[in-house]
């Protein structure tokens, strides 16, 4: 057993130390220590026997008892002699033995003593405190002291990282850290840690002492895959494990859980009935049985099992907070909701919230956790808070007392404050996207409650609450990443850490792209293991970055601009419209420099069908078919813009923040009752959220242009069959530009990566391909002359770029603005990837467009940009030039030929507004100067008169 090897190694080390440092009488207590240690090792040998019986257990316990008595007896003499090295060893072993006998408090004290001694005694290697940190953290984890446990586990992990051969217990450490990531719903990282624990365990023979450990780790991995909804892979692991007779109850339970999640409740119950626990897992089993009955619309049967779960919990966890107790109370609250016993439901939800939070004990249903820190069951707490908030709202509908409506809003505030906190603790977009799904399920409710309170009270604060909830649920992952990049650029303390983080991200992207092309299972397994190790290392680096107080303070700051701040940004010609789309209602929040209003319109299935219909019409470039979108365009105009028309007098610029399916629409193409396109009345720009409305990071603002047109003269067909046609108009598109121009064979991916962040404007006139199944595999094509195997710039690679010096990217390539729609986050497009990389302004294409009209628009765009005209207005004027040009074939004046190009970016006041302010300012200055001069003249006259007198 490794425990024995460690003890022998440590004893040998201490003998060497003693021979040089200890006094002459040290032999008296060293002999006693050696005797105690010999007994301790014999007990360890018994624990590793493959045929471990009850008799063996009794003998092991007796030997451990003897060792404990002897260590404690000799310890005072060791301490008196100030023999720190031997005292350390003695403290640790006493801690292990007290731990064995479940004397948890005493064990913690001795582990802590050993750790303290090592910190004062540099001759003791830090590898010796690896296990004290690990065991102390284990006790803290099992007693719900999650923050302290994580701190000690991370210290152990840091020590383990220094030793290539691995320390005894490292596999247990990674398994436990996996469990902690699992509890915080960071399932992608939990998967990495469980997989690493299995790897570190190494080859295991069926009857070895590590066989049970391997099964446990595999169960944990499969449970994580279940949460990630990778059900087939999880079930495959469980079916293999069922062939063994280890932890069969837990495996059957978890297979039942998979069936429950897949909706096969009868089948789930069949597995649950085979499980017989005689430990605290019985509480979870009863909860899951209750959930199965509930999913079969048998609420009374479900309640019976929940009540049994409460009894079982009191048996195994008397007076101790735990997650399963919280879940039981949450489920019972759901039942009370079902029978309209709303007051009882609120009380049970409150009790559940107390179970899920270590430092919150308020029984008052109007109280909620205010601050969040550390490790706890985030998802369960979020679900309980939102259930409580919804119950408050139901109570209001029943009795019409605004106190309940305010209670609902306060509870929603707590829930989404929790979600915001958790999002910032996660270290990957994959984990954040999982959380995003959870938020999205409830995101409309607090907006509805806020608006109802506003209508009842006419207090503006409630309308502002609706706005804040709307913005927090839009592109939160993108805005958080942009904020983090700006923070990295503003802080110089951790440059080495930031560089390491960037290097790890790039390595993960490269490996992930490579894995997508690999078919050999062994090679793929090796690559996936490398990705896992890089992701674990990335998490460690990010933990170090977050220790910087300056970073943490700014990282936790609110990203959304308050309404009054947005109003300060807007000029008198601009209106910002943020849309919120629910299942049956469209909300528009309208902000101008002086007004803050809203509009609500009902929507039905025909509205969503209309969006699809218009998209299909716009994307149809068939020469034989006439544009067919005018009718549906007008109908959408009536829903989207007619209700806000009264808020737009004198407005010339629209900043539109779309929501969900509205992200597919170019609003410029919508037609009013007179058949006029929106572009004819307003310049239009888009933004993901007001969190990105203005940039706070550095902006080098170089004025030069970089352009690429790789297919100006010829197309290309790669070995996989991907065909990229020639784009002859792209040469005309870029040749007039003043800057660095790469065409044909010079327009390589290598040249782009080498030059991109040195230019203020980048223009890409090329092909792009969208992958809706795997958005990170969407790509922009460059010339294959550089490398036929590496001519694609994938979205994943763009995410890893640093484009903070680039203020505008023009993606004159097909579908760069299209992509998979992630509810609440937006389109996973190539243009989003560039925003993620730090470029705040993007002109992008929503569909495959015609080559010549695109070239015409972009040429005119650059003409107006060269005159210093704002980007949104420049794009508007370029499109109007196409519409008004007598040389343009009328067939190319329909929106499917010009509306594909849209501008997403930061807001800039119009030049006209700036001129107006300069005029007003100049007039005021002139008037003030005249007044001052008049006063001076009057004073001089009075002075002359006084001299005459």
């Amino acid at each position: 057993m490794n425990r024995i090897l460690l003890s022998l190694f440590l004893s040998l080390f201490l003998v060497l130390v003693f021979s040089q440092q200890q006094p002459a009488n040290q032999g008296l207590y060293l002999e006693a220590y050696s005797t105690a240690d010999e007994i301790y090792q014999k007990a360890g040998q018994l624990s590793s026997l493959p045929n471990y019986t009850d008799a063996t257990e009794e003998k092991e316990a007796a030997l451990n008892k003897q060792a404990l008595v002897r260590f404690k007896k000799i310890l005072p003499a060791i301490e008196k002699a100030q023999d720190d090295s031997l005292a350390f060893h003695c403290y640790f072993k006493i801690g292990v033995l007290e731990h064995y006998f479940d004397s948890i408090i005493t064990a913690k004290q001795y582990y802590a003593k050993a750790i303290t001694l090592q910190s004062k005694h540099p001759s003791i290697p830090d590898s010796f405190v690896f296990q004290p940190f690990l065991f102390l953290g284990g006790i803290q984890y099992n007693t719900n002291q999650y923050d302290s446990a994580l701190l000690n586990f991370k210290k152990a992990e840091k020590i383990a990282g220094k030793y290539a051969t691995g320390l005894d217990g490292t596999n247990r450490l990674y398994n436990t850290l996996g469990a902690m990531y699992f509890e915080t719903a960071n399932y992608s990282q939990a998967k990495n840690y469980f997989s690493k624990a299995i790897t570190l365990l190494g080859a295991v023979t069926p009857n070895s002492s590590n066989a049970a450990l391997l099964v446990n780790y595999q169960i944990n991995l499969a449970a994580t895959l279940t949460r990630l909804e990778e059900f087939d892979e999880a079930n495959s692991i469980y079916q293999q494990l069922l062939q063994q007779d280890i932890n069969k109850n837990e495996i059957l339970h978890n297979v039942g859980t998979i069936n429950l999640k897949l909706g096969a409740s009868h089948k789930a119950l069949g597995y649950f009935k085979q499980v017989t626990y005689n430990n605290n897992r019985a509480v979870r089993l009863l909860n899951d049985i209750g959930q199965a009955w509930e999913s079969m619309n048998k609420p009374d049967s479900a309640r019976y099992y929940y009540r049994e779960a409460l009894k079982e919990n009191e048996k195994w966890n008397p007076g101790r907070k735990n997650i399963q107790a919280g879940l039981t109370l949450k489920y019972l609250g759901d039942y009370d909701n079902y029978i309209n016993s709303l007051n009882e439901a609120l009380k049970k939800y409150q009790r559940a919230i107390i179970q899920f939070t270590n430092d919150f004990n308020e029984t008052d249903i109007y109280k909620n956790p205010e601050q969040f820190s550390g490790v706890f069951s985030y998802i369960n707490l979020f679900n309980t808070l939102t259930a409580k908030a919804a119950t408050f709202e139901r109570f209001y509908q029943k009795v019409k007392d605004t106190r309940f409506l305010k209670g609902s809003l306060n509870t929603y505030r707590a829930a989404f404050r929790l979600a915001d906190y958790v999002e910032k603790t996660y270290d990957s977009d994959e984990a954040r996207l999982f959380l995003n799904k959870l938020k999205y399920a409830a995101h409309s409710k607090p907006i509805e409650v806020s608006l109802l309170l506003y209508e009842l009270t006419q207090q503006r604060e409630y309308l502002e609450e609706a706005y804040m909830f709307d913005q927090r649920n839009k592109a939160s992952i993108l805005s958080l990443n942009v904020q983090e990049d700006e923070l990295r650029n503003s802080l110089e303390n951790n440059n080495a850490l930031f560089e390491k983080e960037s290097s790890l991200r790039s390595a993960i992207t490269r490996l992930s792209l490579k894995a997508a092309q690999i078919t050999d299972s062994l090679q793929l397994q090796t690559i996936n293991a490398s990705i896992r190790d890089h992701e674990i290392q990335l998490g460690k680096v990010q933990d170090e970055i977050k220790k910087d107080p300056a970073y943490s303070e700014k990282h936790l700051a609110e990203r959304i601009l308050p309404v009054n701040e947005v109003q300060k940004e807007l000029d008198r010609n601009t209106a910002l419209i943020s849309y919120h789309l629910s299942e049956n209602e469209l909300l528009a929040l309208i902000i101008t420099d002086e007004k803050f209003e809203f509009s609500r319109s009902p929507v039905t299935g025909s509205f969503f069908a209309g969006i699809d219909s218009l998209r299909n019409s716009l994307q149809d470039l068939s020469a034989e078919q006439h544009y067919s979108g005018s009718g549906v365009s007008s109908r959408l105009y009536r829903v989207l813009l007619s209700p806000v028309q009264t808020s737009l007098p004198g407005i010339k610029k629209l900043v539109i923040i779309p929501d969900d399916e509205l992200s597919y629409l170019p609003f410029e193409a919508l037609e009013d009752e007179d058949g006029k396109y929106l572009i004819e009345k307003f310049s239009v720009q888009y933004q993901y959220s007001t969190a990105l409305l203005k940039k706070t990071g550095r902006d080098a603002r170089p004025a030069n242009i970089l352009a690429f047109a790789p297919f100006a003269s010829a197309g290309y067909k790669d070995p996989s069959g991907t065909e990229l046609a020639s784009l002859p108009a792209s040469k005309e598109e870029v040749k007039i530009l003043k800057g660095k121009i790469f065409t044909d064979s010079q327009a390589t991916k290598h040249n782009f990566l080498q030059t991109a962040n040195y230019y203020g404007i980048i223009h890409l006139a090329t092909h792009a391909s969208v992958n809706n199944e795997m958005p990170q595999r969407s790509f922009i094509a460059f010339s294959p002359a550089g490398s036929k195997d590496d001519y694609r710039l994938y979205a994943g690679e763009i995410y890893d770029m640093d484009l903070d010096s680039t203020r505008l990217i023009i993606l004159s390539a097909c579908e760069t603005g299209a992509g998979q729609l992630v509810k609440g986050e937006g389109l996973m497009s190539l243009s989003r990837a560039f925003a993620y990389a730090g470029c705040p302004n993007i002109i992008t294409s929503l569909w495959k467009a015609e080559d010549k009209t695109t070239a015409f628009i972009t040429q005119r765009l650059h003409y107006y940009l060269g005159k210093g005209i704002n980007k949104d207005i420049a794009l508007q004027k370029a499109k109007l030039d196409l519409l008004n040009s007598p040389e343009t074939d009328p067939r190319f004046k329909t929106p499917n030929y010009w509306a594909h190009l849209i501008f997403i970016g930061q807001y800039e006041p119009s030049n006209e507004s700036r001129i107006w302010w300069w005029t007003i300012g100049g007039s005021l200055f002139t008037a003030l100067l005249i007044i001052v001069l008049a006063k001076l003249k009057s004073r001089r006259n009075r002075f002359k008169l006084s001299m005459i007198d």
Side-chain angles (χ1 to χ4, degrees):
M1 183 185 175
N2 287 332
R3 164 180 158 180
I4 300 166
L5 293 173
L6 177 68
S7 181
L8 289 171
F9 171 62
L10 185 52
S11 297
L12 178 60
F13 168 78
L14 292 171
V15 167
L16 291 172
V17 172
F18 298 153
S19 65
Q20 299 175 24
Q21 298 181 7
Q22 302 306 312
N25 63 354
Q26 61 87 30
L28 297 175
Y29 56 77
L30 181 58
E31 184 178 349
Y33 172 84
S34 298
T35 302
D37 188 52
E38 186 178 347
I39 298 169
Y40 175 85
Q41 291 178 39
K42 284 181 180 178
Q45 290 171 342
L46 290 175
S47 70
S48 62
L49 292 175
N51 53 342
Y52 192 83
T53 64
D54 290 344
T56 310
E57 184 179 6
E58 289 178 11
K59 190 173 181 181
E60 180 190 5
L63 288 171
N64 277 332
K65 188 68 176 176
Q66 290 180 43
L68 179 59
V69 170
R70 288 176 180 271
F71 280 133
K72 282 192 169 183
K73 186 176 180 180
I74 198 63
L75 181 59
I78 296 172
E79 289 177 327
K80 185 177 180 180
Q82 296 184 348
D83 190 340
D84 289 342
S85 297
L86 195 57
F88 164 82
H89 200 23
C90 211
Y91 288 148
F92 172 61
K93 291 183 178 177
I94 291 173
V96 171
L97 293 167
E98 292 284 10
H99 200 164
Y100 174 86
F101 289 112
D102 289 328
S103 299
I104 301 303
I105 295 175
T106 308
K108 281 173 63 177
Q109 292 171 347
Y110 278 97
Y111 290 144
K113 284 184 176 184
I115 291 167
T116 302
L117 256 188
Q118 189 274 338
S119 67
K120 295 178 179 178
H121 205 293
S123 63
I124 302 175
D126 61 358
S127 60
F128 288 176
V129 288
F130 169 77
Q131 286 196 331
F133 277 128
L134 176 60
F135 296 164
L136 177 57
I139 292 174
Q140 291 163 334
Y141 177 76
N142 290 325
T143 54
N144 299 331
Q145 296 174 280
Y146 296 125
D147 289 356
S148 299
L150 183 61
L151 181 64
N152 285 310
F153 288 145
K154 285 295 182 180
K155 287 178 180 177
E157 185 183 22
K158 190 172 184 178
I159 292 169
K162 298 178 182 179
Y163 298 88
T165 55
L167 300 174
D168 178 27
T170 304
N171 59 305
R172 292 175 186 265
L173 170 66
Y174 274 79
N175 179 65
T176 307
L177 282 167
M180 298 197 82
Y181 283 115
F182 185 93
E183 289 297 344
T184 61
N186 189 346
Y187 299 122
S188 56
Q189 195 69 303
K191 176 183 174 182
N192 287 330
Y193 272 83
F194 289 138
S195 173
K196 184 71 172 178
I198 292 169
T199 301
L200 290 169
L201 194 60
V204 175
T205 54
N207 295 321
S208 70
S209 60
N210 283 339
L213 272 182
L214 177 60
V215 171
N216 179 45
Y217 297 173
Q218 289 174 321
I219 289 172
N220 290 341
L221 176 60
T224 305
L225 293 170
T226 301
R227 293 297 179 94
L228 289 168
E229 299 181 358
E230 298 175 27
F231 298 120
D232 290 342
E233 189 176 349
N235 192 54
S236 175
I237 293 173
Y238 287 135
Q239 295 304 325
Q240 291 176 24
L241 293 177
L242 282 173
Q243 306 304 313
Q244 307 175 47
D245 195 22
I246 302 175
N247 288 1
K248 200 162 188 177
N249 275 324
E250 194 169 351
I251 296 166
L252 290 167
H253 186 173
N254 288 357
V255 174
T257 302
I258 290 177
N259 284 281
L260 184 60
K261 288 184 177 295
L262 290 172
S265 303
H266 285 285
K267 195 172 180 181
L269 277 175
Y271 281 102
F272 293 153
K273 287 177 180 177
Q274 298 178 59
V275 179
T276 54
Y277 285 132
N278 189 30
N279 54 35
N280 61 3
R281 289 194 179 101
V283 184
R284 178 183 156 224
L285 176 64
L286 290 165
N287 276 335
D288 287 343
I289 292 173
Q291 286 283 280
W293 283 113
E294 194 169 317
S295 66
M296 292 188 290
N297 294 317
K298 302 283 186 180
D300 291 331
S301 298
R303 181 178 62 160
Y304 168 80
Y305 283 98
Y306 298 147
R307 286 177 168 176
E308 290 299 305
L310 276 184
K311 295 175 187 176
E312 199 71 16
N313 186 72
E314 191 56 35
K315 173 182 173 183
W316 294 104
N317 304 297
R320 189 165 69 240
K321 289 186 180 185
N322 64 92
I323 291 167
Q324 288 303 320
L327 283 171
T328 306
L329 289 164
K330 197 269 181 185
Y331 298 152
L332 284 168
D334 293 343
Y335 177 83
D336 287 333
N337 234 320
Y338 171 76
I339 63 172
N340 283 318
S341 183
L342 302 183
N343 193 50
E344 286 302 312
L346 288 170
K347 289 177 181 177
K348 289 191 176 68
Y349 290 143
Q350 193 70 13
R351 289 169 61 194
I353 290 166
I354 290 170
Q355 291 293 319
F356 292 134
T357 49
N358 289 327
D359 54 357
F360 180 76
N361 298 291
E362 290 282 356
T363 56
D364 183 348
I365 59 173
Y366 289 96
K367 298 289 181 65
N368 298 295
E370 294 294 329
Q371 302 293 329
F372 304 100
S373 63
V375 183
F376 50 91
S377 189
Y378 297 135
I379 286 182
N380 294 323
L381 179 57
F382 181 87
N383 287 336
T384 307
L385 285 166
T386 53
K388 175 186 165 185
T391 306
F392 265 128
E393 185 188 3
R394 286 192 66 202
F395 223 143
Y396 164 77
Q397 298 296 347
K398 187 176 180 180
V399 301
K400 301 301 180 184
D401 184 343
T402 57
R403 186 173 48 130
F404 294 113
L405 209 53
K406 291 176 182 177
S408 175
L409 183 58
N410 285 333
T411 308
Y412 277 126
R413 283 181 187 133
F416 282 86
R417 196 161 51 241
L418 166 67
D420 186 57
Y421 166 78
V422 175
E423 189 174 60
K424 289 172 179 175
T425 66
Y426 284 170
D427 47 24
S428 74
D429 280 359
E430 187 179 3
R432 288 168 176 166
L433 283 170
F434 187 89
L435 176 65
N436 193 70
K437 291 181 185 178
L438 184 73
K439 288 165 51 183
Y440 188 81
H443 82 297
S444 288
K445 290 294 183 182
I447 295 174
E448 293 170 9
V449 172
S450 298
L451 291 175
L452 182 53
L453 274 166
Y454 175 71
E455 289 170 344
L456 289 168
T457 67
Q458 291 301 301
Q459 293 179 17
R460 175 173 161 137
E461 65 179 281
Y462 294 119
L463 186 55
E464 291 185 356
E465 284 278 6
Y467 157 81
M468 291 299 289
F469 278 117
D470 173 50
Q471 296 306 307
R472 285 195 186 104
N473 290 289
K474 283 182 174 158
S476 62
I477 298 172
L478 172 60
S479 63
L480 178 58
N481 277 283
V482 170
Q483 179 201 34
E484 288 176 340
D485 281 343
E486 290 176 356
L487 267 177
R488 286 168 177 79
N489 290 331
S490 67
L491 298 173
E492 298 179 355
N493 300 354
N494 292 319
N495 281 341
L497 284 173
F498 293 147
E499 288 175 8
K500 191 171 184 181
E501 180 190 37
S502 177
S503 175
L504 286 166
R505 285 184 188 276
S506 297
I508 291 167
T509 298
R510 285 195 304 273
L511 289 165
S512 299
L513 291 171
K514 186 176 181 181
Q517 302 171 13
I518 297 295
T519 55
D520 179 80
S521 59
L522 288 177
Q523 192 177 357
L524 184 60
Q525 187 177 354
T526 302
I527 292 173
N528 285 335
S530 186
I531 292 171
R532 174 203 67 205
D533 291 346
H534 279 80
E535 287 179 345
I536 289 173
Q537 188 61 31
L538 178 61
K540 294 177 186 178
V541 171
Q542 290 172 333
D543 284 343
E544 290 298 314
I545 290 172
K546 290 171 186 174
K547 289 178 182 178
D548 183 339
Y551 181 90
S552 295
E553 181 183 355
K554 293 180 180 179
H555 187 243
L556 294 173
E558 176 62 69
R559 306 187 301 277
I560 308 300
L561 287 178
V563 172
N564 64 328
E565 290 295 321
V566 174
Q567 290 179 312
K568 290 177 184 177
E569 290 291 315
L570 303 180
D571 65 32
R572 65 192 181 97
N573 299 319
T574 304
L576 181 146
I577 308 175
S578 180
Y579 289 99
H580 173 75
L581 192 58
S582 62
E583 191 174 343
N584 50 26
E585 185 179 76
L586 175 73
L587 168 68
L589 295 165
I590 309 107
I591 304 175
T592 68
D593 64 334
E594 294 182 344
K595 298 178 184 177
F596 176 34
E597 300 171 334
F598 74 99
S599 156
R600 301 168 88 169
S601 308
V603 295
T604 62
S606 62
F607 173 78
F608 295 97
I611 292 174
D612 288 338
S613 174
L614 182 58
R615 285 179 64 201
N616 291 333
S617 297
L618 289 169
Q619 293 175 23
D620 184 4
L621 299 179
S622 165
E624 297 81 17
Q625 189 169 352
H626 181 69
Y627 173 64
S628 60
S630 290
V632 69
S633 173
S634 296
R635 291 196 296 274
L636 288 172
Y637 186 100
R638 287 196 293 272
V639 178
L640 292 166
L641 290 156
S642 293
V644 305
Q645 204 73 45
T646 56
S647 299
L648 305 179
I651 297 300
K652 297 180 181 179
K653 292 164 64 80
L654 295 180
V655 180
I656 293 175
I657 302 178
D659 190 31
D660 293 344
E661 285 83 358
L662 297 180
S663 301
Y664 292 122
L665 287 183
F667 280 63
E668 297 97 314
L670 299 180
E671 299 176 51
D672 67 12
E673 60 277 5
D674 299 322
K676 293 285 188 182
Y677 297 119
L678 190 71
I679 194 70
E680 297 181 77
K681 295 192 286 187
F682 305 99
S683 69
V684 180
Q685 73 176 81
Y686 302 85
Q687 189 50 274
Y688 299 100
S689 159
T690 56
L692 298 167
L693 198 62
K694 65 176 185 176
K695 191 174 183 182
T696 57
R698 64 180 180 176
D699 189 351
R701 292 197 172 274
N704 43 357
I705 297 174
L706 174 69
F708 283 76
F711 303 102
S713 302
Y716 175 67
K717 185 174 182 179
D718 74 9
S720 69
T722 299
E723 191 165 354
L724 303 169
S726 65
L727 300 171
S730 66
K731 181 175 286 186
E732 298 298 316
E733 189 173 333
V734 300
K735 75 176 185 180
I736 63 166
L737 303 179
K738 296 177 180 178
K740 184 71 173 176
I741 313 299
F742 290 97
T743 60
D744 295 324
S745 62
Q746 294 300 308
T748 62
K749 175 181 172 181
H750 173 78
N751 283 339
F752 176 74
L753 294 175
Q754 291 295 310
T755 56
N757 204 33
Y758 295 98
Y759 291 83
I761 299 175
I762 297 175
H763 186 121
L764 301 179
T766 180
H767 287 288
S769 176
V770 175
N771 188 327
N772 284 328
E773 297 301 316
M774 300 176 66
Q776 288 213 332
R777 298 229 356 120
S778 298
F779 67 86
I780 292 175
F782 289 87
S783 170
S787 170
K788 288 183 171 56
D789 297 324
D790 191 25
Y791 71 91
R792 300 176 177 185
L793 179 66
Y794 288 100
E797 296 175 287
I798 298 170
Y799 279 110
D800 294 330
M801 293 182 70
D802 182 9
L803 293 173
D804 61 309
S805 293
T806 305
R807 67 176 186 266
L808 174 64
I809 287 181
I810 301 168
L811 300 174
S812 177
C814 303
E815 299 182 294
T816 48
Q820 180 191 71
L821 177 64
V822 174
K823 298 280 189 168
E825 190 62 25
L827 297 175
M828 298 293 105
S829 62
L830 286 159
S831 55
R832 182 183 184 276
F834 280 108
Y836 195 107
C839 180
N841 300 298
I842 300 117
I843 291 175
T844 187
S845 177
L846 291 175
W847 60 84
K848 292 181 179 179
E850 199 273 333
D851 191 23
K852 291 181 181 178
T853 54
T854 301
F856 179 94
I857 292 170
T858 55
Q859 284 179 338
R860 298 304 295 164
L861 169 69
H862 281 289
Y863 168 77
Y864 289 118
L865 289 174
K867 288 182 170 292
I869 293 174
N870 289 358
K871 303 169 190 68
D872 59 318
I873 299 174
L875 184 58
Q876 178 196 25
K877 286 180 175 292
K879 290 179 177 180
L880 292 176
D881 284 352
L882 178 78
L883 290 172
N884 296 327
S885 171
E887 297 177 8
T888 303
D889 187 325
R891 180 170 61 91
F892 294 134
K893 293 187 178 184
T894 54
N896 45 345
Y897 287 95
W898 56 261
H900 60 294
L901 289 173
I902 64 169
F903 169 52
I904 306 169
Q906 295 173 315
Y907 172 72
E908 292 178 286
S910 64
N911 291 329
E912 177 187 337
S913 176
R914 284 197 288 267
I915 292 167
W916 182 80
W917 277 111
W918 274 110
T919 303
I920 294 294
S923 299
L924 288 172
F925 178 78
T926 303
L928 182 62
L929 186 60
I930 290 170
I931 291 169
V932 170
L933 290 173
K935 285 186 176 182
L936 287 173
K937 183 177 181 181
S938 175
R939 186 177 297 173
R940 284 197 301 271
N941 289 336
R942 285 198 303 271
F943 177 74
K944 288 178 180 179
L945 287 171
S946 65
M947 291 292 290
I948 294 169
D949 293 341

